Every structure is written in C-alpha cells, then in structure tokens.
Short mmCIF file of all heavy atoms in Angstrom, two decimals:
data_model
loop_
_atom_site.label_atom_id
_atom_site.label_comp_id
_atom_site.label_asym_id
_atom_site.label_seq_id
_atom_site.Cartn_x
_atom_site.Cartn_y
_atom_site.Cartn_z
N VAL A 90 0.86 -1.18 0.00
CA VAL A 90 0.00 0.00 0.00
C VAL A 90 0.90 1.23 0.00
O VAL A 90 2.12 1.12 -0.01
CB VAL A 90 -0.93 0.01 1.24
CG1 VAL A 90 -1.94 -1.14 1.17
CG2 VAL A 90 -0.12 -0.11 2.54
N GLY A 91 0.33 2.42 0.03
CA GLY A 91 1.14 3.61 0.18
C GLY A 91 1.74 3.67 1.58
O GLY A 91 1.23 3.04 2.52
N SER A 92 2.82 4.42 1.74
CA SER A 92 3.47 4.51 3.05
C SER A 92 2.50 5.00 4.13
O SER A 92 2.53 4.53 5.27
CB SER A 92 4.69 5.42 2.99
OG SER A 92 5.76 4.79 2.34
N GLY A 93 1.66 5.97 3.79
CA GLY A 93 0.68 6.48 4.76
C GLY A 93 -0.26 5.39 5.22
O GLY A 93 -0.56 5.28 6.42
N GLN A 94 -0.72 4.58 4.30
CA GLN A 94 -1.60 3.47 4.65
C GLN A 94 -0.85 2.41 5.46
O GLN A 94 -1.41 1.80 6.38
CB GLN A 94 -2.19 2.85 3.39
CG GLN A 94 -3.15 3.75 2.64
CD GLN A 94 -3.54 3.16 1.30
OE1 GLN A 94 -2.79 3.23 0.32
NE2 GLN A 94 -4.72 2.58 1.24
N ALA A 95 0.40 2.17 5.11
CA ALA A 95 1.21 1.20 5.86
C ALA A 95 1.38 1.66 7.31
O ALA A 95 1.27 0.85 8.25
CB ALA A 95 2.58 1.02 5.19
N LEU A 96 1.65 2.93 7.51
CA LEU A 96 1.78 3.46 8.86
C LEU A 96 0.46 3.33 9.62
O LEU A 96 0.45 3.02 10.82
CB LEU A 96 2.22 4.93 8.82
CG LEU A 96 3.64 5.19 8.29
CD1 LEU A 96 3.87 6.68 8.14
CD2 LEU A 96 4.69 4.57 9.19
N GLU A 97 -0.65 3.53 8.94
CA GLU A 97 -1.96 3.40 9.59
C GLU A 97 -2.22 1.96 9.99
O GLU A 97 -2.79 1.70 11.07
CB GLU A 97 -3.05 3.92 8.67
CG GLU A 97 -4.43 3.94 9.29
CD GLU A 97 -4.53 4.77 10.55
OE1 GLU A 97 -3.79 5.78 10.68
OE2 GLU A 97 -5.33 4.40 11.43
N LEU A 98 -1.82 1.01 9.15
CA LEU A 98 -1.96 -0.40 9.52
C LEU A 98 -1.15 -0.72 10.78
O LEU A 98 -1.61 -1.45 11.66
CB LEU A 98 -1.53 -1.30 8.36
CG LEU A 98 -2.46 -1.36 7.16
CD1 LEU A 98 -1.80 -2.08 5.99
CD2 LEU A 98 -3.77 -2.06 7.53
N GLY A 99 0.05 -0.16 10.84
CA GLY A 99 0.85 -0.33 12.04
C GLY A 99 0.20 0.31 13.25
O GLY A 99 0.16 -0.27 14.34
N ARG A 100 -0.34 1.49 13.07
CA ARG A 100 -1.00 2.23 14.16
C ARG A 100 -2.17 1.43 14.74
O ARG A 100 -2.42 1.44 15.94
CB ARG A 100 -1.47 3.58 13.63
CG ARG A 100 -2.05 4.51 14.68
CD ARG A 100 -2.38 5.86 14.07
NE ARG A 100 -1.16 6.65 13.83
CZ ARG A 100 -0.72 7.01 12.62
NH1 ARG A 100 -1.37 6.62 11.52
NH2 ARG A 100 0.38 7.73 12.50
N ARG A 101 -2.88 0.71 13.87
CA ARG A 101 -4.04 -0.07 14.30
C ARG A 101 -3.66 -1.48 14.76
O ARG A 101 -4.54 -2.28 15.10
CB ARG A 101 -5.05 -0.18 13.16
CG ARG A 101 -5.63 1.13 12.69
CD ARG A 101 -6.93 0.92 11.95
NE ARG A 101 -6.79 0.04 10.80
CZ ARG A 101 -6.71 0.46 9.53
NH1 ARG A 101 -6.71 1.75 9.26
NH2 ARG A 101 -6.59 -0.41 8.55
N GLY A 102 -2.38 -1.80 14.76
CA GLY A 102 -1.95 -3.13 15.18
C GLY A 102 -2.28 -4.20 14.16
O GLY A 102 -2.39 -5.37 14.52
N GLU A 103 -2.40 -3.82 12.90
CA GLU A 103 -2.76 -4.77 11.85
C GLU A 103 -1.56 -5.15 10.98
O GLU A 103 -1.72 -5.74 9.92
CB GLU A 103 -3.88 -4.18 10.99
CG GLU A 103 -5.18 -4.00 11.78
CD GLU A 103 -6.31 -3.46 10.95
OE1 GLU A 103 -6.11 -3.24 9.73
OE2 GLU A 103 -7.41 -3.24 11.50
N ALA A 104 -0.38 -4.81 11.43
CA ALA A 104 0.86 -5.23 10.76
C ALA A 104 1.92 -5.41 11.84
O ALA A 104 1.89 -4.73 12.87
CB ALA A 104 1.31 -4.20 9.73
N ASP A 105 2.84 -6.31 11.58
CA ASP A 105 3.90 -6.59 12.54
C ASP A 105 5.17 -5.78 12.25
O ASP A 105 5.90 -5.42 13.17
CB ASP A 105 4.23 -8.08 12.52
CG ASP A 105 3.00 -8.93 12.81
OD1 ASP A 105 2.40 -8.75 13.88
OD2 ASP A 105 2.62 -9.75 11.95
N ALA A 106 5.42 -5.54 10.97
CA ALA A 106 6.60 -4.76 10.57
C ALA A 106 6.21 -3.88 9.38
O ALA A 106 5.29 -4.21 8.62
CB ALA A 106 7.75 -5.69 10.19
N LEU A 107 6.91 -2.78 9.23
CA LEU A 107 6.65 -1.84 8.15
C LEU A 107 7.95 -1.60 7.38
O LEU A 107 9.02 -1.49 7.98
CB LEU A 107 6.15 -0.50 8.70
CG LEU A 107 5.09 -0.52 9.82
CD1 LEU A 107 4.78 0.92 10.26
CD2 LEU A 107 3.83 -1.21 9.36
N LEU A 108 7.84 -1.51 6.07
CA LEU A 108 8.98 -1.13 5.23
C LEU A 108 8.49 0.02 4.37
O LEU A 108 7.72 -0.17 3.42
CB LEU A 108 9.44 -2.31 4.35
CG LEU A 108 10.62 -2.05 3.42
CD1 LEU A 108 11.86 -1.63 4.21
CD2 LEU A 108 10.92 -3.28 2.57
N VAL A 109 8.89 1.24 4.72
CA VAL A 109 8.26 2.45 4.17
C VAL A 109 9.30 3.49 3.77
O VAL A 109 10.47 3.41 4.14
CB VAL A 109 7.27 3.04 5.19
CG1 VAL A 109 6.01 2.17 5.28
CG2 VAL A 109 7.89 3.15 6.59
N HIS A 110 8.83 4.51 3.03
CA HIS A 110 9.75 5.54 2.55
C HIS A 110 9.12 6.93 2.61
O HIS A 110 9.04 7.65 1.63
CB HIS A 110 10.24 5.22 1.12
CG HIS A 110 9.17 5.23 0.07
ND1 HIS A 110 9.37 5.73 -1.20
CD2 HIS A 110 7.89 4.82 0.08
CE1 HIS A 110 8.27 5.61 -1.92
NE2 HIS A 110 7.36 5.06 -1.16
N SER A 111 8.68 7.29 3.80
CA SER A 111 8.13 8.63 4.04
C SER A 111 8.71 9.15 5.35
O SER A 111 8.04 9.17 6.39
CB SER A 111 6.60 8.56 4.10
OG SER A 111 6.03 9.85 4.13
N PRO A 112 10.00 9.56 5.34
CA PRO A 112 10.74 9.83 6.58
C PRO A 112 10.06 10.78 7.57
O PRO A 112 10.05 10.49 8.77
CB PRO A 112 12.07 10.41 6.06
CG PRO A 112 12.26 9.74 4.73
CD PRO A 112 10.86 9.67 4.15
N GLU A 113 9.52 11.89 7.11
CA GLU A 113 8.91 12.83 8.04
C GLU A 113 7.72 12.21 8.76
O GLU A 113 7.56 12.35 9.97
CB GLU A 113 8.49 14.11 7.31
CG GLU A 113 9.66 14.97 6.86
CD GLU A 113 9.20 16.30 6.28
OE1 GLU A 113 7.99 16.60 6.33
OE2 GLU A 113 10.06 17.05 5.77
N ALA A 114 6.88 11.50 8.00
CA ALA A 114 5.72 10.84 8.60
C ALA A 114 6.16 9.72 9.53
O ALA A 114 5.53 9.48 10.58
CB ALA A 114 4.81 10.29 7.50
N GLU A 115 7.25 9.03 9.18
CA GLU A 115 7.75 7.93 10.02
C GLU A 115 8.21 8.44 11.38
O GLU A 115 7.93 7.82 12.42
CB GLU A 115 8.91 7.24 9.32
CG GLU A 115 8.56 6.51 8.04
CD GLU A 115 9.80 6.20 7.22
OE1 GLU A 115 10.89 6.06 7.81
OE2 GLU A 115 9.68 6.09 5.99
N VAL A 116 8.93 9.56 11.38
CA VAL A 116 9.43 10.11 12.64
C VAL A 116 8.26 10.47 13.56
O VAL A 116 8.28 10.16 14.77
CB VAL A 116 10.31 11.35 12.37
CG1 VAL A 116 10.64 12.08 13.67
CG2 VAL A 116 11.60 10.94 11.66
N LYS A 117 7.23 11.09 13.02
CA LYS A 117 6.05 11.43 13.81
C LYS A 117 5.36 10.17 14.32
O LYS A 117 4.88 10.12 15.45
CB LYS A 117 5.09 12.28 12.97
CG LYS A 117 5.63 13.65 12.60
CD LYS A 117 4.65 14.40 11.71
CE LYS A 117 5.21 15.76 11.31
NZ LYS A 117 4.30 16.48 10.37
N PHE A 118 5.29 9.16 13.46
CA PHE A 118 4.63 7.91 13.83
C PHE A 118 5.35 7.24 14.99
O PHE A 118 4.72 6.81 15.97
CB PHE A 118 4.61 6.99 12.61
CG PHE A 118 4.14 5.59 12.89
CD1 PHE A 118 2.82 5.32 13.12
CD2 PHE A 118 5.05 4.54 12.90
CE1 PHE A 118 2.39 4.03 13.39
CE2 PHE A 118 4.63 3.25 13.15
CZ PHE A 118 3.29 2.98 13.40
N VAL A 119 6.66 7.12 14.91
CA VAL A 119 7.43 6.47 15.97
C VAL A 119 7.28 7.24 17.29
O VAL A 119 7.21 6.65 18.37
CB VAL A 119 8.92 6.34 15.58
CG1 VAL A 119 9.76 5.86 16.75
CG2 VAL A 119 9.05 5.36 14.40
#
C-alpha cells in the first residue's frame, strides 16, 4: 500500500513490521 496506509496499519496493530519511505511521517509515527 502507500506509506501512509502502511503506517496506519501499524497504528491499528494490523501489521507486525513496516517497510516504508516517508521519513517525516515515520518520525512522527514512531
């Protein structure tokens, strides 16, 4: 999916690991 959607899946506990390429959004997410 898109990185934003991947981060949302992680946020909802619906993924175990993420491989993404949206650094600014990733920093906020972590």
Side-chain angles (χ1 to χ4, degrees):
V90 293
S92 285
Q94 292 172 282
L96 293 172
E97 185 58 32
L98 287 170
R100 186 175 285 115
R101 298 200 302 259
E103 295 181 1
D105 303 302
L107 316 177
L108 180 59
V109 287
H110 65 141
S111 189
E113 290 186 6
E115 294 164 27
V116 170
K117 293 177 182 177
F118 172 74
V119 171

